[in-house]
Amino acid sequence: MSVSARPRRIDLIGIATASGASVRGCGMGPESLRVAGLVEALIDLGHRVADHGDLRRPRPDVSTHPSSGRAPEQRKADVLDLAARTSEAGMTILSEGCLPVFLGGDHSIAMGSVSAVARHCGDERPVHVMWIDAHADYNTPLTSPTGNLHGMPLALLCGEPGFDDSFAGPWLGRIDPRNVTIFGARSIDRDERKLLQSRGVDVVDMRKIDQLGVVALMQKLLERVKTAGAHMHVSLDLDAMDPSIAPGGGTLVPGGLSYREAHLIMEMLHDSGSVGSLDVVELNPFLDHGGQSATLLVDLAASLFGRSIMGEEPGPMEFTTEA
């Protein structure tokens, strides 16, 4: 079921967590997207929408320590608990023929969302992941300079070694790294870069975008997905955009996508009819400026789901002739 095919229903599910990140606040992201009008925007486009609320980590014991100061093992347990629950919830949505939109939360939620898609498609249909992000998120526990799990989901999903048995389970789906496109990258760690090159991950960095432009690069990607008949999962990280238009993230990197570049990507994805699931992640309303970033993400999601400048339906036309 694709975006252009007008799915029977778009199902929203929030994963309200910052346990995979180093900065507190993006656990409030799902509700901020709702406040910014995400549901109303989708309904206005003619879609049916169901909102399943938020998955949250188990409530911790009360203490004087902030969430970001919790022990790494506790934060890891939170991430993996939510990944398993997200994977199951996503499988249910997909099995009902609906299109899941996973609202983050930090980017570690993709461990569960992409797993759901991979498990649902199985051997019957290839999965292509478009990772729109300033970072590659392809570190492992052995290569990560920080140990933050929001920098590791793609490596886990692609089967990289270095993850212990706690990361395994029936909830975990696998994807082929050769079917991953990282779009908008501009901050990649040294060992991470080596892994990406050796595994054949397609990295469209900002230099390529500057040189060749969004249209040519997107056309190449979309043709590849269409030829394969793949289900495309889009994972949209706020920090793919330039901080001047999207200040509400915890890992901002200068030199990102412009407003029109980002919308053009979404519009071309919609026109392709290949998108079957979506992540919207790393919105931190505590760092945002008056809802600027939340509104941008809602507008980008609307473009992905069919909003256009002129709309799709022609209005009444009247012609007059002068004698």
Side-chain angles (χ1 to χ4, degrees):
M1 195 72 69
S2 68
V3 167
S4 292
R6 295 270 175 172
R8 181 160 55 89
R9 194 176 68 198
I10 297 172
D11 281 29
L12 307 179
I13 182 165
I15 303 93
T17 181
S19 292
S22 59
V23 178
R24 299 172 68 184
C26 57
M28 300 184 289
E31 190 59 25
S32 182
L33 290 167
R34 294 183 181 98
V35 171
L38 177 59
V39 173
E40 292 84 353
L42 296 176
I43 291 174
D44 186 59
L45 291 167
H47 298 286
R48 291 179 59 202
V49 179
D51 188 345
H52 296 273
D54 293 347
L55 300 178
R56 298 178 181 273
R57 63 179 174 85
R59 190 172 296 278
D61 295 333
V62 176
S63 76
T64 59
H65 297 289
S67 177
S68 59
R70 299 173 73 232
E73 285 302 313
Q74 291 177 308
R75 294 169 62 197
K76 182 174 111 173
D78 291 344
V79 168
L80 295 179
D81 171 72
L82 285 169
R85 291 158 61 197
T86 301
S87 181
E88 293 303 321
M91 279 280 286
T92 299
I93 292 168
L94 288 161
S95 69
E96 294 174 350
C98 302
L99 191 153
V101 177
F102 303 91
L103 308 177
D106 67 72
H107 219 155
S108 69
I109 74 161
M111 293 179 181
S113 63
V114 178
S115 286
V117 174
R119 293 168 62 205
H120 174 75
C121 292
D123 296 328
E124 297 182 4
R125 189 180 182 191
V127 175
H128 196 108
V129 175
M130 184 178 183
W131 200 263
I132 307 175
D133 199 331
H135 308 87
D137 295 344
Y138 207 91
N139 272 303
T140 74
L142 301 177
T143 67
S144 173
T146 65
N148 293 324
L149 290 176
H150 71 163
M152 304 185 196
L154 272 180
L156 175 67
L157 293 160
C158 290
E160 291 296 335
F163 293 91
D164 63 39
D165 291 343
S166 65
F167 288 89
W171 63 268
L172 179 60
R174 298 292 192 190
I175 55 175
D176 187 335
R178 294 168 297 181
N179 287 342
V180 174
T181 298
I182 298 168
F183 206 95
R186 53 197 187 276
S187 178
I188 300 176
D189 299 317
R190 182 182 62 182
D191 291 337
E192 189 180 29
R193 186 181 301 114
K194 294 176 182 177
L195 282 176
L196 293 166
Q197 291 171 339
S198 65
R199 303 301 189 246
V201 176
D202 182 23
V203 179
V204 180
D205 60 23
M206 286 306 301
R207 174 171 177 170
K208 287 183 182 178
I209 293 172
D210 290 341
Q211 289 179 318
L212 301 176
V214 163
V215 171
L217 293 164
M218 285 295 296
Q219 285 176 336
K220 179 181 177 182
L221 167 60
L222 295 173
E223 183 59 35
R224 179 182 168 195
V225 172
K226 180 180 178 181
T227 299
H231 173 120
M232 177 177 275
H233 177 89
V234 175
S235 200
L236 175 62
D237 190 313
L238 177 68
D239 69 25
M241 270 62 73
D242 192 79
S244 63
I245 61 169
T251 53
L252 302 179
V253 184
L257 297 168
S258 70
Y259 181 88
R260 269 312 307 161
E261 285 173 331
H263 273 283
L264 181 55
I265 291 167
M266 296 298 114
E267 291 159 357
M268 293 183 73
L269 285 169
H270 171 263
D271 292 345
S272 75
S274 298
V275 178
S277 47
L278 171 68
D279 301 328
V280 183
V281 302
E282 296 285 355
L283 170 63
N284 188 331
F286 184 75
L287 301 175
D288 203 4
H289 297 168
Q292 179 181 351
S293 304
T295 300
L296 173 63
L297 286 174
V298 168
D299 287 344
L300 290 174
S303 288
L304 176 63
F305 284 103
R307 180 188 288 173
S308 62
I309 295 170
M310 290 295 293
E312 298 180 355
E313 299 180 4
M317 297 175 63
E318 296 182 4
F319 296 92
T320 59
T321 36
E322 295 182 3

